[in-house]
């Protein structure tokens, strides 16, 4: 592992906490609904959801470091802004899920692009963003197929998940990559 | 006073004007309603509201300067962007007040964090933001208790005011601190 | 012409594509409705709409270069962010068109100001923004007068078009100016 155990734990914790906050927004707004009550719940989420997001965050951070040397320079403000940006987009998806799909998707895609342009990071960050944009929605499609959860009818046109979901995950992957860089720079 | 009379007047004017614009949004959207017509109204606001916001802006600016030397460098664009950012958040609160409280609050909190990270300013700015985040909602809770105004039922869970209100005031305090720095840098 | 044919074509293409995406959002949301089916349609737009936006983009880029020497430095991220920013505002207008006009307009105006402050560019960019803010809504007022299209009743108070339309065009003009600078810097 390129990331130390403590750094992986920090990424896991940030991802799990962020997943809980974002998912609570989706559940409260009605964007998504859990269909299976067999697992314990934490706040609004089935226990496995924050765990999966935490694991994905740590994995994307590790992926980032394997793709090339991280950028130097630690700045807590960049890390806070990166986390806030992806949580803001997450909250916007909860607020616009029942709006027409066209402008809602355009908004999420363009916000994700703004986050990526703001964070920079070149090809490694882009690969992390694309990996998240592919793997995340695929995982959620499986979750929907397993009837563990569902998206509202106004936001399920991408094989059962929302059309804007890849863009949300893209921003997530970009942010996870940046956080990994910051953790290494802080050593 | 660390700020000159003219600078305090400028901060008062910016705050009063911004308060009028933001409050008009709240009133037009139905986020807040004035219950008392005894005082004169300016646009959509009772006269005392923009006066209070103007005084708060000047006070926070003065507080900023007492907390340490201001950062040098005058850039009108930074000032315009700071004012625009807090007014944008103000407008978003008017537009999402009847949305589920969870994602609405997450959005306002994360936007406030992005403004703070964007403006920077270290501990003095943070103190101004926190002072505003505490004093502002407390003042509005008193206003609600006095039955001068009320928040809509969908946005009144924080002792009668909105859960996102401290975050809006936090951004306001940060921006007031930055404007005070810019005014000194312009001397 | 200060811009080369290929550069004008690039600006035309970006503008036409962006116009299609943004206009699709307006039509799908119900912000605007085409009243005349005489011309062919591309996606959700009458063919003349993306052509007009493309021509406006190229014209504003050319205007920018005639107003003074462009800033040096090519950065694809700035171009992508500029395009994403104006499309994001475009999408927001589609999502808030039926919200109270006050906060909706405040939001679009402040977002346009943030884009302008972020892109910079001084007087030439400001002139391009103002030129677009005047000419764009005027052209749309003519389109409404000709009964080719209409704005929803909740967004038609500016002589038949939306009150926030000048701010959207202002951001568009600023972005077109920046793209022209980037194209020259890339030579």
């Amino acid at each position: 592992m390129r990331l130390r155990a403590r750094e992986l734990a920090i990424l896991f914790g940030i991802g799990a906490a962020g997943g809980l906050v974002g998912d609570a927004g989706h559940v409260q707004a009605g964007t998504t609904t859990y269909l299976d009550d067999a697992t314990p719940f934490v706040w609004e989420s089935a226990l496995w959801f924050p765990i999966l997001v935490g694991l994905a965050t740590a994995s994307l951070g590790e992926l980032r470091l394997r793709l090339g040397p991280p950028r130097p320079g630690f700045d807590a403000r960049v890390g806070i802004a990166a986390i806030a940006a992806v949580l803001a987009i997450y909250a916007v998806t909860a607020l616009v899920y029942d709006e027409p799909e066209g402008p809602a998707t355009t908004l999420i895609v363009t916000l994700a692009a703004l986050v990526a342009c703001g964070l920079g990071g070149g090809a490694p960050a882009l690969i992390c963003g694309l990996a998240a944009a592919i793997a995340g929605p695929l995982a959620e499609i499986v979750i929907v197929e397993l009837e563990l959860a569902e998206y509202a009818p106004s936001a399920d046109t991408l094989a059962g998940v929302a059309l804007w979901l890849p863009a949300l995950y893209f921003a997530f992957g970009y942010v996870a990559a940046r956080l990994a860089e910051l953790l290494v720079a802080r050593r």
Side-chain angles (χ1 to χ4, degrees), chain A:
Chain A
M1 289 291 176
R2 305 289 170 87
L3 283 165
R4 296 173 185 165
R6 189 164 158 279
E7 293 162 347
L8 288 167
I10 290 171
L11 285 178
F12 178 87
I14 291 172
L20 280 176
V21 170
D23 197 40
H26 273 184
V27 171
Q28 288 169 14
T31 316
T32 54
T33 307
Y34 283 100
L35 301 175
D36 185 80
D37 293 347
T39 50
F41 270 64
V42 184
W43 196 3
E44 304 275 11
S45 304
L47 180 58
W48 46 262
F49 184 78
I51 293 175
L52 286 179
V53 179
L55 290 174
T57 310
S59 304
L60 287 161
E62 180 65 23
L63 172 63
R64 168 62 193 83
L65 295 190
R66 290 179 185 227
L67 290 171
R71 286 177 286 174
F74 175 75
D75 186 343
R77 274 165 58 194
V78 172
I80 294 169
I83 295 168
V86 74
L87 283 179
I89 298 178
Y90 210 149
V92 171
T93 63
L95 295 170
V96 303
Y97 84 91
D98 53 356
E99 298 281 348
E101 199 171 50
T105 304
T106 298
L107 180 59
I108 304 306
V109 168
T110 52
L111 291 179
L114 285 168
V115 168
C117 291
L119 292 176
L126 191 60
I127 291 170
C128 289
L130 292 174
I134 293 167
L138 279 179
E140 294 214 24
I141 287 168
V142 170
I143 288 167
V144 168
E145 288 295 318
L146 294 173
E147 297 189 352
L148 297 174
E150 68 179 2
Y151 274 77
S154 59
D156 71 350
T157 56
L158 186 65
V161 304
L163 196 55
W164 40 254
L165 199 61
L168 173 58
Y169 272 101
F170 178 79
F172 164 64
Y174 238 89
V175 166
R178 192 73 187 94
L179 294 178
E181 289 185 326
L182 290 168
L183 284 170
V184 171
R186 189 162 158 269
R187 281 175 191 171

